[in-house]
């Protein structure tokens, strides 16, 4: 069993909030984790899978059925299938407000299933369960293997690489194409597949909707809708630019990344580590992998940005903590990095509290002006956590 780092946060929220939402992509382990934690509660558990017709029929008269289980923690899996339940859950919680009344498991973000965030405001805590992070599996694998395969459990734990990428291919076809349609969106499977393949090759680049519109032959509003859906279903994320009061022209469009490196590599038809290193997408893939691993460690408490001027000065990742601390991170796919003048110029603009150059492996050591060369493992398991806990 691989210990999931969000377990402690989930148990803490279940001890306080009447409703806890565990969200994340399919096949990431939400059901397994919810059942494990449910068994540790001081009340019985009832599990309903809303993809099963039999469980949906139990909720034909949902109020009558759920009132029978007032003293239980009721787990509703794939709750986005029945968004009409959210108003009822709010009423039931308001009549008897106590911790762990309901656990809602979903494969779409609250923004994509807006009824939940509106109906349960003030009653629900959301926790995102992501694919395996590097700290969760570092005793069982190498960082190169995790980068290549990504963190989806069935892909990562497959005994042979062909099975890893066969699983990822099936995942893309079923979850990304079929399941999005089941959320009620009229999507063209062919267009979505073409979009994903294009996104794999522009991973880590500035998002240009007009270029995507011309390449796909569809209207820009349609492209924006597809991008929103892929973001809300945890497939991609947009890294927003950081604006500050400097007298320089700044790039203001977001950068786009496919969140799981294994999904990216399957879309780019990269199925071995040697092929990855020789592929033009390797640098941007590593950059996206590092950003996602940092996100999996620090969660959503910090905001994530990049910084780039029109003159080319850039910081790959700028973290801003709730207290305003700024952490500048440059990401390099080499253990002997060189630092550009543009990065130093950006540090002068931003004046971060901490600055790091991230490398895959190797020793960490300081450079001038408080800049540190730091391997990824040390950065996310020691240095960022120390800053996070300050």
């Amino acid at each position: 069993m691989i210990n999931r780092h969000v377990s402690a946060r989930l148990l803490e929220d279940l001890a306080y909030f009447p409703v806890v939402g565990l969200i994340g992509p399919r096949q990431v382990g939400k059901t397994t984790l919810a059942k494990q934690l449910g068994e540790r509660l001081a009340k019985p558990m009832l599990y309903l899978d809303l993809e099963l017709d039999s469980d949906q029929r139990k909720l034909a008269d949902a109020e009558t059925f759920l009132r029978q289980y007032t003293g239980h923690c009721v787990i509703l899996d794939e709750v986005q299938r029945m968004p009409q339940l959210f108003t009822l859950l709010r009423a039931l919680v308001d009549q008897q407000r106590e911790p762990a009344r309901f656990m809602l498991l979903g494969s779409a973000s609250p923004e994509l299933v807006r009824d939940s965030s509106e109906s349960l405001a003030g009653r629900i805590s959301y926790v995102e369960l992501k694919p395996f992070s590097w700290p969760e599996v570092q005793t069982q694998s190498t960082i190169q293997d995790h980068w290549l395969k990504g963190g989806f459990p069935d892909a990562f734990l497959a005994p042979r690489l062909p099975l890893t990428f066969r699983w990822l291919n099936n995942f893309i076809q079923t979850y990304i194409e079929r399941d999005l349609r089941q959320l009620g969106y009229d999507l063209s499977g062919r267009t979505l597949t073409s979009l994903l393949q294009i996104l794999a090759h522009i991973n880590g680049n500035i998002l240009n909707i007009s270029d995507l519109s011309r390449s796909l032959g569809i209207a820009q509003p349609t492209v924006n809708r597809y991008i929103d859906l892929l973001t809300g279903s945890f497939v991609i994320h947009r890294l927003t630019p950081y604006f500050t009061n400097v007298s320089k022209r700044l790039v203001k469009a977001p950068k786009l990344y496919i969140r799981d490196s294994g999904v990216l590599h399957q879309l780019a038809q990269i199925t071995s580590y040697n092929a990855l290193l020789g592929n033009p997408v390797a640098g941007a893939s590593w950059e996206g992998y590092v950003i996602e691993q940092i996100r999996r460690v620090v969660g959503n408490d910090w905001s994530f940005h990049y910084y780039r001027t029109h003159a080319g000065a850039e910081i790959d990742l700028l973290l801003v903590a709730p207290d305003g601390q700024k952490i500048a991170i440059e990401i390099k796919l080499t253990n002997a990095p060189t630092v550009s003048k543009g990065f130093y110029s950006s540090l002068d603009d931003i004046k971060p509290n901490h600055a790091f150059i991230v490398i895959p492996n190797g020793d960490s050591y300081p450079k001038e002006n408080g800049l540190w060369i730091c391997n990824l493992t040390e950065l996310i398991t020691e240095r960022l956590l120390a800053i996070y806990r300050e």
Side-chain angles (χ1 to χ4, degrees), residues 107-109 111-114 175-177 179-188 192 195-196 199 221-238:
S107 300
S109 69
E111 292 76 23
L112 207 58
V113 188
R114 295 190 182 277
Y175 171 55
I176 296 175
E177 295 181 3
D179 293 348
L180 283 178
R181 292 179 191 170
Q182 290 179 345
L183 284 171
Y185 295 95
D186 183 18
L187 302 172
S188 164
L192 189 58
L195 173 61
L196 285 166
L199 295 182
T222 303
V223 175
N224 276 315
R225 183 166 63 96
Y226 278 34
I227 294 293
D228 287 343
L229 288 170
L230 291 172
T231 302
S233 54
F234 312 102
V235 178
I236 64 175
H237 71 84
R238 286 171 284 201

mmCIF file of all heavy atoms in Angstrom, residues 107-109 111-114 175-177 179-188 192 195-196 199 221-238:
data_model
loop_
_atom_site.group_PDB
_atom_site.id
_atom_site.type_symbol
_atom_site.label_atom_id
_atom_site.label_comp_id
_atom_site.label_asym_id
_atom_site.label_seq_id
_atom_site.Cartn_x
_atom_site.Cartn_y
_atom_site.Cartn_z
ATOM 1 N N SER A 107 -15.145 13.277 -10.193
ATOM 2 C CA SER A 107 -14.099 13.351 -11.215
ATOM 3 C C SER A 107 -14.170 14.658 -11.989
ATOM 4 O O SER A 107 -13.694 14.736 -13.118
ATOM 5 C CB SER A 107 -14.226 12.167 -12.189
ATOM 6 O OG SER A 107 -14.092 10.945 -11.499
ATOM 7 N N ALA A 108 -14.795 15.649 -11.407
ATOM 8 C CA ALA A 108 -14.847 16.974 -12.021
ATOM 9 C C ALA A 108 -14.712 18.007 -10.921
ATOM 10 O O ALA A 108 -15.139 17.793 -9.791
ATOM 11 C CB ALA A 108 -16.161 17.167 -12.784
ATOM 12 N N SER A 109 -14.121 19.134 -11.243
ATOM 13 C CA SER A 109 -13.898 20.177 -10.258
ATOM 14 C C SER A 109 -15.211 20.827 -9.858
ATOM 15 O O SER A 109 -16.195 20.770 -10.597
ATOM 16 C CB SER A 109 -12.960 21.243 -10.826
ATOM 17 O OG SER A 109 -13.623 21.962 -11.854
ATOM 18 N N GLU A 111 -15.900 23.833 -10.002
ATOM 19 C CA GLU A 111 -16.223 24.836 -11.012
ATOM 20 C C GLU A 111 -16.948 24.207 -12.198
ATOM 21 O O GLU A 111 -17.775 24.852 -12.838
ATOM 22 C CB GLU A 111 -14.948 25.527 -11.496
ATOM 23 C CG GLU A 111 -14.273 26.417 -10.455
ATOM 24 C CD GLU A 111 -13.530 25.613 -9.398
ATOM 25 O OE1 GLU A 111 -13.159 24.448 -9.673
ATOM 26 O OE2 GLU A 111 -13.344 26.141 -8.282
ATOM 27 N N LEU A 112 -16.619 22.939 -12.493
ATOM 28 C CA LEU A 112 -17.279 22.257 -13.600
ATOM 29 C C LEU A 112 -18.664 21.775 -13.190
ATOM 30 O O LEU A 112 -19.572 21.698 -14.013
ATOM 31 C CB LEU A 112 -16.419 21.072 -14.066
ATOM 32 C CG LEU A 112 -16.561 20.637 -15.521
ATOM 33 C CD1 LEU A 112 -16.244 21.791 -16.456
ATOM 34 C CD2 LEU A 112 -15.632 19.465 -15.811
ATOM 35 N N VAL A 113 -18.826 21.418 -11.930
ATOM 36 C CA VAL A 113 -20.136 21.023 -11.405
ATOM 37 C C VAL A 113 -20.561 22.128 -10.436
ATOM 38 O O VAL A 113 -20.454 22.006 -9.225
ATOM 39 C CB VAL A 113 -20.070 19.652 -10.699
ATOM 40 C CG1 VAL A 113 -21.479 19.183 -10.334
ATOM 41 C CG2 VAL A 113 -19.407 18.621 -11.585
ATOM 42 N N ARG A 114 -21.044 23.215 -10.966
ATOM 43 C CA ARG A 114 -21.217 24.435 -10.182
ATOM 44 C C ARG A 114 -22.268 24.281 -9.085
ATOM 45 O O ARG A 114 -22.228 24.979 -8.080
ATOM 46 C CB ARG A 114 -21.587 25.602 -11.099
ATOM 47 C CG ARG A 114 -20.471 25.958 -12.058
ATOM 48 C CD ARG A 114 -20.727 27.250 -12.786
ATOM 49 N NE ARG A 114 -19.653 27.511 -13.730
ATOM 50 C CZ ARG A 114 -18.495 28.074 -13.422
ATOM 51 N NH1 ARG A 114 -18.268 28.422 -12.176
ATOM 52 N NH2 ARG A 114 -17.567 28.283 -14.329
ATOM 53 N N TYR A 175 -11.708 8.103 -20.350
ATOM 54 C CA TYR A 175 -11.982 9.189 -19.400
ATOM 55 C C TYR A 175 -12.103 10.533 -20.101
ATOM 56 O O TYR A 175 -13.085 11.254 -19.934
ATOM 57 C CB TYR A 175 -10.874 9.234 -18.351
ATOM 58 C CG TYR A 175 -10.944 10.444 -17.446
ATOM 59 C CD1 TYR A 175 -12.102 10.729 -16.742
ATOM 60 C CD2 TYR A 175 -9.863 11.294 -17.311
ATOM 61 C CE1 TYR A 175 -12.171 11.834 -15.910
ATOM 62 C CE2 TYR A 175 -9.922 12.392 -16.484
ATOM 63 C CZ TYR A 175 -11.083 12.660 -15.788
ATOM 64 O OH TYR A 175 -11.155 13.750 -14.979
ATOM 65 N N ILE A 176 -11.131 10.870 -20.903
ATOM 66 C CA ILE A 176 -11.098 12.206 -21.478
ATOM 67 C C ILE A 176 -12.168 12.372 -22.546
ATOM 68 O O ILE A 176 -12.777 13.434 -22.659
ATOM 69 C CB ILE A 176 -9.695 12.511 -22.037
ATOM 70 C CG1 ILE A 176 -8.683 12.513 -20.881
ATOM 71 C CG2 ILE A 176 -9.671 13.845 -22.761
ATOM 72 C CD1 ILE A 176 -7.244 12.688 -21.321
ATOM 73 N N GLU A 177 -12.418 11.334 -23.333
ATOM 74 C CA GLU A 177 -13.378 11.468 -24.422
ATOM 75 C C GLU A 177 -14.793 11.082 -23.995
ATOM 76 O O GLU A 177 -15.744 11.825 -24.188
ATOM 77 C CB GLU A 177 -12.928 10.634 -25.618
ATOM 78 C CG GLU A 177 -11.621 11.159 -26.220
ATOM 79 C CD GLU A 177 -11.158 10.354 -27.421
ATOM 80 O OE1 GLU A 177 -11.880 9.424 -27.821
ATOM 81 O OE2 GLU A 177 -10.074 10.655 -27.945
ATOM 82 N N ASP A 179 -16.048 10.239 -20.730
ATOM 83 C CA ASP A 179 -16.569 10.735 -19.461
ATOM 84 C C ASP A 179 -16.914 12.210 -19.508
ATOM 85 O O ASP A 179 -17.838 12.652 -18.828
ATOM 86 C CB ASP A 179 -15.576 10.458 -18.335
ATOM 87 C CG ASP A 179 -15.436 8.969 -18.057
ATOM 88 O OD1 ASP A 179 -16.270 8.208 -18.576
ATOM 89 O OD2 ASP A 179 -14.515 8.582 -17.335
ATOM 90 N N LEU A 180 -16.180 12.991 -20.279
ATOM 91 C CA LEU A 180 -16.549 14.395 -20.410
ATOM 92 C C LEU A 180 -17.917 14.538 -21.051
ATOM 93 O O LEU A 180 -18.709 15.399 -20.685
ATOM 94 C CB LEU A 180 -15.492 15.147 -21.227
ATOM 95 C CG LEU A 180 -14.200 15.488 -20.491
ATOM 96 C CD1 LEU A 180 -13.225 16.185 -21.427
ATOM 97 C CD2 LEU A 180 -14.472 16.371 -19.289
ATOM 98 N N ARG A 181 -18.209 13.689 -21.994
ATOM 99 C CA ARG A 181 -19.537 13.735 -22.618
ATOM 100 C C ARG A 181 -20.614 13.373 -21.607
ATOM 101 O O ARG A 181 -21.722 13.913 -21.639
ATOM 102 C CB ARG A 181 -19.594 12.769 -23.797
ATOM 103 C CG ARG A 181 -18.706 13.176 -24.968
ATOM 104 C CD ARG A 181 -18.817 12.156 -26.075
ATOM 105 N NE ARG A 181 -17.806 12.365 -27.097
ATOM 106 C CZ ARG A 181 -17.566 11.510 -28.070
ATOM 107 N NH1 ARG A 181 -18.258 10.381 -28.141
ATOM 108 N NH2 ARG A 181 -16.641 11.768 -28.967
ATOM 109 N N GLN A 182 -20.301 12.456 -20.704
ATOM 110 C CA GLN A 182 -21.293 12.049 -19.722
ATOM 111 C C GLN A 182 -21.584 13.136 -18.699
ATOM 112 O O GLN A 182 -22.559 13.046 -17.966
ATOM 113 C CB GLN A 182 -20.829 10.764 -19.014
ATOM 114 C CG GLN A 182 -20.855 9.550 -19.936
ATOM 115 C CD GLN A 182 -20.389 8.280 -19.258
ATOM 116 O OE1 GLN A 182 -19.796 8.322 -18.192
ATOM 117 N NE2 GLN A 182 -20.666 7.142 -19.872
ATOM 118 N N LEU A 183 -20.739 14.162 -18.644
ATOM 119 C CA LEU A 183 -21.053 15.315 -17.816
ATOM 120 C C LEU A 183 -22.115 16.200 -18.465
ATOM 121 O O LEU A 183 -22.572 17.166 -17.866
ATOM 122 C CB LEU A 183 -19.800 16.153 -17.555
ATOM 123 C CG LEU A 183 -18.808 15.597 -16.537
ATOM 124 C CD1 LEU A 183 -17.528 16.413 -16.559
ATOM 125 C CD2 LEU A 183 -19.412 15.599 -15.147
ATOM 126 N N GLY A 184 -22.500 15.863 -19.694
ATOM 127 C CA GLY A 184 -23.555 16.611 -20.366
ATOM 128 C C GLY A 184 -23.067 17.568 -21.428
ATOM 129 O O GLY A 184 -23.832 18.401 -21.914
ATOM 130 N N TYR A 185 -21.792 17.450 -21.808
ATOM 131 C CA TYR A 185 -21.244 18.356 -22.806
ATOM 132 C C TYR A 185 -21.222 17.672 -24.170
ATOM 133 O O TYR A 185 -20.816 16.520 -24.305
ATOM 134 C CB TYR A 185 -19.840 18.791 -22.419
ATOM 135 C CG TYR A 185 -19.814 19.604 -21.147
ATOM 136 C CD1 TYR A 185 -19.553 18.991 -19.923
ATOM 137 C CD2 TYR A 185 -20.071 20.962 -21.163
ATOM 138 C CE1 TYR A 185 -19.541 19.732 -18.743
ATOM 139 C CE2 TYR A 185 -20.064 21.705 -19.990
ATOM 140 C CZ TYR A 185 -19.796 21.083 -18.793
ATOM 141 O OH TYR A 185 -19.802 21.809 -17.625
ATOM 142 N N ASP A 186 -21.665 18.403 -25.187
ATOM 143 C CA ASP A 186 -21.696 17.890 -26.557
ATOM 144 C C ASP A 186 -20.323 18.114 -27.170
ATOM 145 O O ASP A 186 -20.002 19.217 -27.623
ATOM 146 C CB ASP A 186 -22.782 18.612 -27.353
ATOM 147 C CG ASP A 186 -22.905 18.064 -28.767
ATOM 148 O OD1 ASP A 186 -22.416 16.946 -29.006
ATOM 149 O OD2 ASP A 186 -23.468 18.771 -29.629
ATOM 150 N N LEU A 187 -19.508 17.084 -27.164
ATOM 151 C CA LEU A 187 -18.132 17.201 -27.615
ATOM 152 C C LEU A 187 -17.902 16.345 -28.843
ATOM 153 O O LEU A 187 -18.466 15.260 -28.978
ATOM 154 C CB LEU A 187 -17.166 16.754 -26.512
ATOM 155 C CG LEU A 187 -17.236 17.491 -25.177
ATOM 156 C CD1 LEU A 187 -16.364 16.788 -24.162
ATOM 157 C CD2 LEU A 187 -16.817 18.923 -25.344
ATOM 158 N N SER A 188 -17.030 16.815 -29.708
ATOM 159 C CA SER A 188 -16.570 16.016 -30.828
ATOM 160 C C SER A 188 -15.342 15.230 -30.389
ATOM 161 O O SER A 188 -14.310 15.824 -30.059
ATOM 162 C CB SER A 188 -16.224 16.917 -32.020
ATOM 163 O OG SER A 188 -15.450 16.199 -32.968
ATOM 164 N N LEU A 192 -11.528 16.665 -29.994
ATOM 165 C CA LEU A 192 -10.877 16.634 -28.689
ATOM 166 C C LEU A 192 -9.563 15.861 -28.750
ATOM 167 O O LEU A 192 -8.553 16.273 -28.161
ATOM 168 C CB LEU A 192 -11.815 16.015 -27.660
ATOM 169 C CG LEU A 192 -11.376 16.086 -26.197
ATOM 170 C CD1 LEU A 192 -11.168 17.534 -25.768
ATOM 171 C CD2 LEU A 192 -12.398 15.410 -25.304
ATOM 172 N N LEU A 195 -7.060 18.064 -30.434
ATOM 173 C CA LEU A 195 -6.638 19.116 -29.518
ATOM 174 C C LEU A 195 -5.610 18.588 -28.521
ATOM 175 O O LEU A 195 -4.581 19.223 -28.260
ATOM 176 C CB LEU A 195 -7.847 19.694 -28.788
ATOM 177 C CG LEU A 195 -7.542 20.704 -27.667
ATOM 178 C CD1 LEU A 195 -6.802 21.916 -28.211
ATOM 179 C CD2 LEU A 195 -8.833 21.130 -26.964
ATOM 180 N N LEU A 196 -5.864 17.422 -27.949
ATOM 181 C CA LEU A 196 -4.939 16.847 -26.971
ATOM 182 C C LEU A 196 -3.570 16.575 -27.593
ATOM 183 O O LEU A 196 -2.534 16.809 -26.968
ATOM 184 C CB LEU A 196 -5.520 15.559 -26.393
ATOM 185 C CG LEU A 196 -6.651 15.752 -25.386
ATOM 186 C CD1 LEU A 196 -7.364 14.433 -25.141
ATOM 187 C CD2 LEU A 196 -6.105 16.307 -24.080
ATOM 188 N N LEU A 199 -1.847 19.862 -27.914
ATOM 189 C CA LEU A 199 -1.426 20.354 -26.608
ATOM 190 C C LEU A 199 -0.181 19.623 -26.117
ATOM 191 O O LEU A 199 0.655 20.207 -25.420
ATOM 192 C CB LEU A 199 -2.559 20.207 -25.593
ATOM 193 C CG LEU A 199 -3.819 21.043 -25.843
ATOM 194 C CD1 LEU A 199 -4.830 20.829 -24.719
ATOM 195 C CD2 LEU A 199 -3.488 22.516 -25.993
ATOM 196 N N PRO A 221 -14.322 30.519 -29.326
ATOM 197 C CA PRO A 221 -15.103 30.189 -28.122
ATOM 198 C C PRO A 221 -15.184 28.690 -27.864
ATOM 199 O O PRO A 221 -15.205 28.249 -26.701
ATOM 200 C CB PRO A 221 -16.481 30.794 -28.414
ATOM 201 C CG PRO A 221 -16.208 31.902 -29.381
ATOM 202 C CD PRO A 221 -15.086 31.393 -30.235
ATOM 203 N N THR A 222 -15.225 27.893 -28.931
ATOM 204 C CA THR A 222 -15.264 26.435 -28.761
ATOM 205 C C THR A 222 -13.942 25.924 -28.199
ATOM 206 O O THR A 222 -13.920 25.056 -27.324
ATOM 207 C CB THR A 222 -15.570 25.747 -30.105
ATOM 208 O OG1 THR A 222 -16.800 26.253 -30.631
ATOM 209 C CG2 THR A 222 -15.687 24.242 -29.931
ATOM 210 N N VAL A 223 -12.832 26.467 -28.697
ATOM 211 C CA VAL A 223 -11.523 26.089 -28.148
ATOM 212 C C VAL A 223 -11.453 26.442 -26.668
ATOM 213 O O VAL A 223 -11.014 25.633 -25.841
ATOM 214 C CB VAL A 223 -10.383 26.790 -28.915
ATOM 215 C CG1 VAL A 223 -9.036 26.473 -28.257
ATOM 216 C CG2 VAL A 223 -10.361 26.358 -30.370
ATOM 217 N N ASN A 224 -11.904 27.640 -26.310
ATOM 218 C CA ASN A 224 -11.898 28.048 -24.897
ATOM 219 C C ASN A 224 -12.736 27.101 -24.049
ATOM 220 O O ASN A 224 -12.361 26.769 -22.910
ATOM 221 C CB ASN A 224 -12.429 29.473 -24.767
ATOM 222 C CG ASN A 224 -11.357 30.522 -25.008
ATOM 223 O OD1 ASN A 224 -10.258 30.411 -24.493
ATOM 224 N ND2 ASN A 224 -11.673 31.529 -25.804
ATOM 225 N N ARG A 225 -13.872 26.655 -24.580
ATOM 226 C CA ARG A 225 -14.735 25.741 -23.823
ATOM 227 C C ARG A 225 -14.025 24.404 -23.611
ATOM 228 O O ARG A 225 -14.073 23.833 -22.513
ATOM 229 C CB ARG A 225 -16.054 25.538 -24.575
ATOM 230 C CG ARG A 225 -17.061 24.656 -23.837
ATOM 231 C CD ARG A 225 -18.440 24.793 -24.465
ATOM 232 N NE ARG A 225 -18.437 24.331 -25.841
ATOM 233 C CZ ARG A 225 -18.807 23.093 -26.212
ATOM 234 N NH1 ARG A 225 -19.204 22.229 -25.295
ATOM 235 N NH2 ARG A 225 -18.793 22.743 -27.472
ATOM 236 N N TYR A 226 -13.346 23.892 -24.643
ATOM 237 C CA TYR A 226 -12.620 22.639 -24.506
ATOM 238 C C TYR A 226 -11.491 22.771 -23.486
ATOM 239 O O TYR A 226 -11.259 21.872 -22.675
ATOM 240 C CB TYR A 226 -12.044 22.218 -25.862
ATOM 241 C CG TYR A 226 -13.018 21.500 -26.775
ATOM 242 C CD1 TYR A 226 -14.376 21.825 -26.776
ATOM 243 C CD2 TYR A 226 -12.586 20.506 -27.642
ATOM 244 C CE1 TYR A 226 -15.263 21.181 -27.618
ATOM 245 C CE2 TYR A 226 -13.468 19.845 -28.491
ATOM 246 C CZ TYR A 226 -14.804 20.187 -28.470
ATOM 247 O OH TYR A 226 -15.681 19.539 -29.300
ATOM 248 N N ILE A 227 -10.780 23.894 -23.523
ATOM 249 C CA ILE A 227 -9.687 24.117 -22.569
ATOM 250 C C ILE A 227 -10.244 24.164 -21.148
ATOM 251 O O ILE A 227 -9.660 23.594 -20.206
ATOM 252 C CB ILE A 227 -8.927 25.412 -22.904
ATOM 253 C CG1 ILE A 227 -8.198 25.284 -24.252
ATOM 254 C CG2 ILE A 227 -7.944 25.762 -21.792
ATOM 255 C CD1 ILE A 227 -7.081 24.292 -24.276
ATOM 256 N N ASP A 228 -11.383 24.839 -20.963
ATOM 257 C CA ASP A 228 -12.004 24.897 -19.639
ATOM 258 C C ASP A 228 -12.396 23.506 -19.151
ATOM 259 O O ASP A 228 -12.218 23.174 -17.970
ATOM 260 C CB ASP A 228 -13.242 25.807 -19.666
ATOM 261 C CG ASP A 228 -12.886 27.278 -19.765
ATOM 262 O OD1 ASP A 228 -11.726 27.639 -19.485
ATOM 263 O OD2 ASP A 228 -13.767 28.070 -20.142
ATOM 264 N N LEU A 229 -12.932 22.681 -20.042
ATOM 265 C CA LEU A 229 -13.344 21.332 -19.660
ATOM 266 C C LEU A 229 -12.144 20.471 -19.276
ATOM 267 O O LEU A 229 -12.183 19.726 -18.296
ATOM 268 C CB LEU A 229 -14.113 20.676 -20.806
ATOM 269 C CG LEU A 229 -15.518 21.211 -21.071
ATOM 270 C CD1 LEU A 229 -16.058 20.653 -22.374
ATOM 271 C CD2 LEU A 229 -16.448 20.867 -19.923
ATOM 272 N N LEU A 230 -11.068 20.570 -20.042
ATOM 273 C CA LEU A 230 -9.879 19.789 -19.726
ATOM 274 C C LEU A 230 -9.238 20.262 -18.425
ATOM 275 O O LEU A 230 -8.678 19.466 -17.679
ATOM 276 C CB LEU A 230 -8.877 19.878 -20.882
ATOM 277 C CG LEU A 230 -9.291 19.171 -22.170
ATOM 278 C CD1 LEU A 230 -8.321 19.494 -23.296
ATOM 279 C CD2 LEU A 230 -9.385 17.664 -21.972
ATOM 280 N N THR A 231 -9.336 21.550 -18.152
ATOM 281 C CA THR A 231 -8.830 22.064 -16.877
ATOM 282 C C THR A 231 -9.694 21.572 -15.727
ATOM 283 O O THR A 231 -9.180 21.100 -14.696
ATOM 284 C CB THR A 231 -8.807 23.604 -16.899
ATOM 285 O OG1 THR A 231 -8.001 24.060 -17.983
ATOM 286 C CG2 THR A 231 -8.257 24.156 -15.578
ATOM 287 N N GLY A 232 -11.010 21.667 -15.882
ATOM 288 C CA GLY A 232 -11.931 21.259 -14.824
ATOM 289 C C GLY A 232 -11.974 19.775 -14.578
ATOM 290 O O GLY A 232 -12.443 19.329 -13.522
ATOM 291 N N SER A 233 -11.461 18.981 -15.514
ATOM 292 C CA SER A 233 -11.411 17.527 -15.319
ATOM 293 C C SER A 233 -9.998 17.059 -15.001
ATOM 294 O O SER A 233 -9.682 15.873 -15.150
ATOM 295 C CB SER A 233 -11.948 16.801 -16.558
ATOM 296 O OG SER A 233 -11.279 17.223 -17.729
ATOM 297 N N PHE A 234 -9.124 17.999 -14.573
ATOM 298 C CA PHE A 234 -7.802 17.697 -14.022
ATOM 299 C C PHE A 234 -6.815 17.159 -15.058
ATOM 300 O O PHE A 234 -5.833 16.518 -14.705
ATOM 301 C CB PHE A 234 -7.901 16.708 -12.854
ATOM 302 C CG PHE A 234 -8.944 17.068 -11.843
ATOM 303 C CD1 PHE A 234 -10.173 16.416 -11.813
ATOM 304 C CD2 PHE A 234 -8.728 18.078 -10.935
ATOM 305 C CE1 PHE A 234 -11.152 16.763 -10.894
ATOM 306 C CE2 PHE A 234 -9.696 18.433 -10.000
ATOM 307 C CZ PHE A 234 -10.909 17.775 -9.978
ATOM 308 N N VAL A 235 -7.064 17.424 -16.339
ATOM 309 C CA VAL A 235 -6.157 16.944 -17.389
ATOM 310 C C VAL A 235 -5.043 17.951 -17.647
ATOM 311 O O VAL A 235 -3.884 17.570 -17.829
ATOM 312 C CB VAL A 235 -6.933 16.671 -18.689
ATOM 313 C CG1 VAL A 235 -5.990 16.223 -19.813
ATOM 314 C CG2 VAL A 235 -8.007 15.609 -18.460
ATOM 315 N N ILE A 236 -5.371 19.225 -17.688
ATOM 316 C CA ILE A 236 -4.380 20.265 -17.949
ATOM 317 C C ILE A 236 -4.469 21.336 -16.860
ATOM 318 O O ILE A 236 -5.440 21.374 -16.102
ATOM 319 C CB ILE A 236 -4.578 20.914 -19.334
ATOM 320 C CG1 ILE A 236 -5.925 21.656 -19.398
ATOM 321 C CG2 ILE A 236 -4.473 19.879 -20.446
ATOM 322 C CD1 ILE A 236 -6.146 22.433 -20.680
ATOM 323 N N HIS A 237 -3.475 22.176 -16.778
ATOM 324 C CA HIS A 237 -3.597 23.376 -15.950
ATOM 325 C C HIS A 237 -2.940 24.543 -16.671
ATOM 326 O O HIS A 237 -2.014 24.377 -17.482
ATOM 327 C CB HIS A 237 -3.032 23.189 -14.538
ATOM 328 C CG HIS A 237 -1.543 23.101 -14.461
ATOM 329 N ND1 HIS A 237 -0.725 24.199 -14.421
ATOM 330 C CD2 HIS A 237 -0.716 22.033 -14.405
ATOM 331 C CE1 HIS A 237 0.533 23.822 -14.334
ATOM 332 N NE2 HIS A 237 0.568 22.514 -14.326
ATOM 333 N N ARG A 238 -3.456 25.714 -16.386
ATOM 334 C CA ARG A 238 -2.927 26.935 -16.969
ATOM 335 C C ARG A 238 -2.117 27.667 -15.915
ATOM 336 O O ARG A 238 -2.619 27.958 -14.825
ATOM 337 C CB ARG A 238 -4.082 27.822 -17.466
ATOM 338 C CG ARG A 238 -4.715 27.295 -18.742
ATOM 339 C CD ARG A 238 -5.988 28.046 -19.104
ATOM 340 N NE ARG A 238 -7.098 27.632 -18.251
ATOM 341 C CZ ARG A 238 -8.381 27.787 -18.573
ATOM 342 N NH1 ARG A 238 -8.709 28.361 -19.714
ATOM 343 N NH2 ARG A 238 -9.330 27.377 -17.759
#
